[in-house]
């Protein structure tokens, strides 16, 4: 009888241990012990890259299981290579998400060569910022007023990173067309190289997001003259491009371009990523963007962050993609990929 009792106790202990282990395993966070790849569609050093590296550092502690997030730069075609990879190649398992050019809606709208994605079908984390495109010119140029800039007889040499697919370059192109600014554009491989060219006085300025150009404004290297619809810190009182234009089509196209600024720093995962996993990533990103340590790092980098939910990002993208054919045809004259 005693042996039987000991046997039963042993069996009970084994089964109890099994169920405890099973329950512990079932309760383990999805991301425990895993690594997430954050694909950045740009070279190291620019605004997209810097913000992504800050996010990769502080977002893990806001994800149950605290996975490691590693940044992978995937350059090419102003972010289109990264966009295509996230849409067609990366697995929809929640272990990959990424960021590409906020001007990508125009690539889809204009059916640019190489587009192999539908922005509305990604699994959206949201955006980490609203951007304000600005016209940034060297502070040592002789311009005293905006009228001086608009009526410059000498061509204003503008450095561009990413070519005509870059949202900041599109901003300048539209200023040239609808405000008749006398500008010429020179392409560079990356925004860091544009800033070096400005430092060397090889070019006069650039179109730039208010967040990425702020440090150079604070240094006194450049001065801001015009902005898009969304105001960044210190740009609230700048003239808005749409307000300077009387042409209705021009206003609409500028509003379309500004809508992409409203998408700012877009982060997406591959289509089909499970809803429960996306909920974890969205909450992790939203919480990280309010983390005091992340905010301190962003401030040190002289950048800004603001969480824009997926539904708001998609609303702004739909505004661009749902334009009538006559507007699309006109936009295609000035915005190319």
């Amino acid at each position: 009888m005693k042996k039987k009792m000991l046997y039963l106790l042993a069996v009970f202990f084994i089964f109890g241990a099994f169920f405890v282990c099973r329950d512990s395993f079932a309760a383990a966070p999805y991301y425990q012990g895993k690594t997430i790849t954050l694909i950045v569609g740009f070279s190291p050093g620019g605004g997209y890259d810097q913000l992504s590296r800050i996010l990769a550092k502080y977002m893990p502690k806001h994800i149950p299981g605290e996975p490691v997030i590693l940044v992978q730069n995937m350059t090419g075609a102003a972010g289109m290579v990264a966009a295509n990879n996230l849409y067609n190649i990366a697995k929809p398992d929640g272990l990959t998400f990424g960021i590409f050019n906020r001007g990508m809606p125009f690539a889809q709208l204009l059916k640019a060569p190489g587009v192999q994605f539908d922005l509305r079908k990604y699994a959206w984390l949201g955006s980490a910022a609203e951007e304000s495109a600005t016209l940034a010119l060297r502070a040592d140029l002789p311009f005293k007023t905006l009228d001086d800039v608009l009526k410059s007889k000498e061509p204003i040499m503008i450095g561009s990173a990413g070519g005509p697919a870059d949202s900041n370059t599109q901003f300048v192109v539209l200023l040239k067309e609808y405000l008749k600014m006398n500008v010429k554009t020179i392409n560079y491989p990356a925004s860091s190289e544009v800033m070096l060219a400005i430092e060397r006085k090889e070019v006069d300025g650039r179109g730039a997001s208010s967040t990425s150009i702020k440090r150079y404004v604070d240094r006194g290297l450049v001065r801001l003259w015009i902005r898009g619809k969304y105001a960044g810190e210190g740009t609230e009182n700048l003239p808005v491009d749409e307000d300077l234009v009387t042409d209705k089509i021009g206003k609409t196209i500028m509003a379309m371009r500004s809508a992409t600024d409203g998408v700012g720093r877009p982060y997406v995962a591959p289509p089909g990523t499970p809803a429960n996993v996306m909920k974890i990533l969205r909450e992790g990103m939203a919480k990280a963007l309010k983390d005091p340590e992340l905010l301190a790092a962003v401030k040190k980098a002289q950048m800004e962050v603001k969480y824009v939910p997926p539904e708001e990002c998609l609303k702004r993208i739909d505004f661009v993609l749902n334009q009538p054919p006559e507007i699309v045809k006109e936009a295609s004259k000035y915005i190319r990929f």
Side-chain angles (χ1 to χ4, degrees):
M1 186 71 177
K2 186 175 180 181
K3 288 183 177 180
K4 186 176 181 181
M5 287 294 295
L6 289 172
Y7 173 77
L8 290 174
L9 285 171
V11 170
F12 178 79
F13 175 80
I14 292 170
F15 272 91
F18 169 78
F19 283 110
V20 168
C21 291
R22 184 199 66 177
D23 292 342
S24 298
F25 178 79
Y30 175 76
Y31 281 106
Q32 185 172 306
K34 295 181 179 178
T35 298
I36 299 174
T37 299
L38 198 176
I39 293 175
V40 177
F42 297 89
S43 302
Y48 288 92
D49 179 73
Q50 288 184 51
L51 181 56
S52 294
R53 291 180 186 278
I54 292 172
L55 189 64
K57 181 177 180 180
Y58 295 102
M59 186 172 165
K61 71 177 181 178
H62 298 286
I63 297 176
E66 297 193 20
V68 173
I69 299 181
L70 299 178
V71 171
Q72 178 185 350
N73 295 93
M74 187 177 293
T75 61
M80 194 181 296
V81 171
N84 285 334
N85 182 283
L86 287 162
Y87 195 86
N88 299 292
I89 299 175
K91 294 180 180 180
D93 55 8
L95 298 182
T96 305
F97 71 96
I99 186 171
F100 43 70
N101 190 338
R102 67 183 182 275
M104 204 59 73
F106 279 110
Q108 182 171 334
L109 176 72
L110 302 176
K111 297 180 174 58
V115 171
Q116 299 173 20
F117 55 80
D118 183 340
L119 292 167
R120 293 166 290 198
K121 293 182 180 180
Y122 285 107
W124 280 78
L125 281 74
S127 172
E130 286 179 339
E131 293 294 347
S132 179
T134 65
L135 176 66
L137 301 179
R138 290 201 333 261
D140 63 343
L141 294 175
F143 304 129
K144 302 298 182 184
T145 66
L146 177 58
D147 198 51
D148 293 337
V149 175
L150 297 178
K151 294 181 179 179
S152 175
K153 293 182 180 180
E154 294 295 323
I156 301 172
M157 307 306 292
I158 297 294
S160 166
D166 177 64
S167 181
N168 294 313
T169 300
Q170 293 166 357
F171 175 73
V172 175
V173 167
L174 293 177
L175 294 180
K176 177 180 180 179
E177 175 60 28
Y178 292 105
L179 291 179
K180 307 304 177 186
M181 281 184 55
N182 186 8
V183 299
K184 289 186 177 181
T185 303
I186 302 175
N187 293 323
Y188 290 84
S191 58
S192 56
E193 295 186 38
V194 175
M195 294 314 305
L196 184 59
I198 291 174
E199 295 261 17
R200 293 173 174 172
K201 301 185 180 182
E202 296 171 359
V203 294
D204 299 319
R206 62 174 298 199
S209 65
S210 60
T211 54
S212 61
I213 202 68
K214 186 178 185 298
R215 75 192 73 176
Y216 302 103
V217 174
D218 292 345
R219 277 179 45 199
L221 177 64
V222 296
R223 178 180 175 184
L224 305 183
W225 292 94
I226 306 172
R227 68 170 171 87
K229 177 180 179 180
Y230 295 94
E233 182 182 350
T235 70
E236 296 87 352
N237 296 321
L238 289 176
V240 176
D241 56 354
E242 295 174 48
D243 297 339
L244 299 172
V245 175
T246 56
D247 184 280
K248 290 183 179 180
I249 292 179
K251 281 181 177 290
T252 299
I253 295 174
M254 285 181 168
M256 291 165 63
R257 197 218 55 77
S258 278
T260 66
D261 280 349
V263 180
R265 303 300 194 197
Y267 288 92
V268 304
T273 302
N276 62 319
V277 175
M278 288 308 304
K279 184 174 185 293
I280 295 171
L281 290 176
R282 290 183 188 119
E283 290 179 354
M285 178 173 163
K287 290 177 181 178
L289 293 176
K290 295 180 180 179
D291 186 319
E293 290 184 317
L294 180 144
L295 294 175
V298 166
K299 184 177 181 180
K300 184 177 180 180
Q302 296 183 305
M303 302 176 75
E304 299 173 43
V305 293
K306 175 183 179 180
Y307 182 64
V308 183
E311 56 272 19
E312 187 60 34
C313 291
L314 289 168
K315 178 181 176 182
R316 295 168 186 180
I317 287 171
D318 281 339
F319 172 72
V320 176
L321 298 181
N322 293 336
Q323 290 296 324
E326 59 271 22
I327 296 295
V328 177
K329 182 178 179 181
E330 187 67 16
S332 68
K333 296 178 182 178
Y334 316 113
I335 300 175
R336 299 182 177 88
F337 287 82

